[in-house]
């Protein structure tokens, strides 16, 4: 039995309630700041919710993604793409799909953890159904609400052909994705793995 391969972290990306990118988030952590703030989120009937605190992500996807990416992705997938792009650049890797890009797609994997997933799209599309009938439901509704949607979009962006997987273990989902990415590299199933977690579930 050969020794497991050494695994190193070469790039990081994050968009959180503390900042829209990794440096801003890291600085806020070191300064002891909190991303939790008061929220005026209410019920559809206008009644305030008993919980008045939330930790919304600071990034505005409209300033970081193309119109097509915005239209076809739930917010949780949008945030995953923003963090993915930052991590890929941080690793110093060439743009996926560029001429002579390395590593080859067959050696690239994407593993994401989600706890709830595309709940914002699910509720918005259901509201559209009630308000406008079936003609009001977006044609991409089913793909957008699937639990693996964020992982699939990251995999498409990276041209990943080794593995594209989603793990869902409640609050441990992102950590489990990191552990699975470690296993993929150690066992030789991939050379590069984008691993992490995403969520966007602030809704009445």
């Amino acid at each position: 039995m050969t020794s497991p391969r050494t695994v190193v972290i070469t790039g990081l990306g994050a968009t959180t309630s503390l900042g829209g990118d990794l440096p801003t988030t890291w600085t806020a952590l070191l300064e002891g700041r909190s991303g939790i703030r008061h929220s005026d989120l209410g019920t559809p009937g206008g009644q305030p919710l008993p919980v008045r605190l939330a930790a919304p992500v600071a990034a505005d996807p409209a300033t970081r993604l193309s119109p097509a990416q915005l239209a076809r992705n739930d917010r949780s997938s949008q945030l995953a793409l923003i963090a993915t792009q930052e991590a890929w650049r941080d690793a110093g890797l060439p743009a996926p799909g560029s001429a002579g890009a390395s590593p080859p797609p067959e050696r690239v994997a994407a593993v994401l953890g989600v706890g709830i997933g595309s709940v914002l799209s699910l509720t918005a599309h259901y509201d559209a159904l009630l308000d406008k009938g079936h003609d009001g439901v977006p044609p991409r509704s089913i793909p957008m609400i699937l639990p693996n949607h964020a992982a699939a979009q990251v995999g498409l962006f990276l041209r990943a052909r080794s593995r594209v997987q989603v793990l869902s273990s409640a609050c441990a989902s992102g950590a489990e994705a990191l552990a699975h990415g470690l296993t993929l590299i150690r066992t030789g199933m991939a050379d590069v793995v984008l691993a992490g977690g995403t969520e966007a579930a602030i809704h009445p």
Side-chain angles (χ1 to χ4, degrees):
M1 182 176 179
T2 58
S3 300
R5 302 167 78 195
T6 299
V7 181
V8 296
I9 298 171
T10 57
L12 297 170
T15 182
T16 74
S17 60
L18 292 174
D21 54 25
L22 182 67
T24 308
T25 296
W26 185 244
T27 299
L29 282 171
L30 294 179
E31 294 175 353
R33 283 189 265 145
S34 173
I36 298 172
R37 57 199 66 133
H38 287 281
S39 171
D40 58 0
L41 198 65
T43 64
Q47 296 297 317
L49 294 176
V51 176
R52 300 294 183 88
L53 297 174
V57 171
D60 178 7
T63 64
R64 312 274 285 277
L65 300 175
S66 70
Q69 288 173 315
L70 294 171
R72 67 169 64 109
N73 286 293
D74 180 79
R75 181 168 171 81
S76 62
S77 298
Q78 294 171 3
L79 299 177
L81 284 169
I82 291 172
T84 293
Q85 293 170 7
E86 183 182 18
W88 199 258
R89 289 192 305 269
D90 190 47
L93 294 168
S98 60
S102 178
E106 292 77 13
R107 303 300 300 163
V108 178
V111 185
L112 264 68
V114 298
I116 296 178
S118 305
V119 66
L120 298 184
S121 291
L122 176 63
T123 53
H125 297 172
Y126 180 65
D127 290 343
L129 175 66
L130 295 180
D131 184 43
K132 302 177 182 177
H134 65 271
D135 287 338
V137 179
R140 295 181 181 272
S141 182
I142 293 299
M144 287 177 69
I145 65 174
L146 292 175
N148 73 327
H149 190 258
Q153 293 303 303
V154 168
L156 288 170
F157 171 75
L158 298 178
R159 273 85 167 170
R161 294 180 184 171
S162 171
R163 293 283 189 285
V164 176
Q165 296 175 283
V166 65
L167 301 172
S168 185
S169 304
C171 296
S173 301
E176 189 173 1
L178 296 177
H180 189 63
L182 175 73
T183 299
L184 291 178
I185 295 177
R186 277 186 171 170
T187 58
M189 300 178 79
D191 293 330
V192 173
V193 178
L194 189 292
T198 187
E199 204 72 270
I202 300 176
H203 188 277

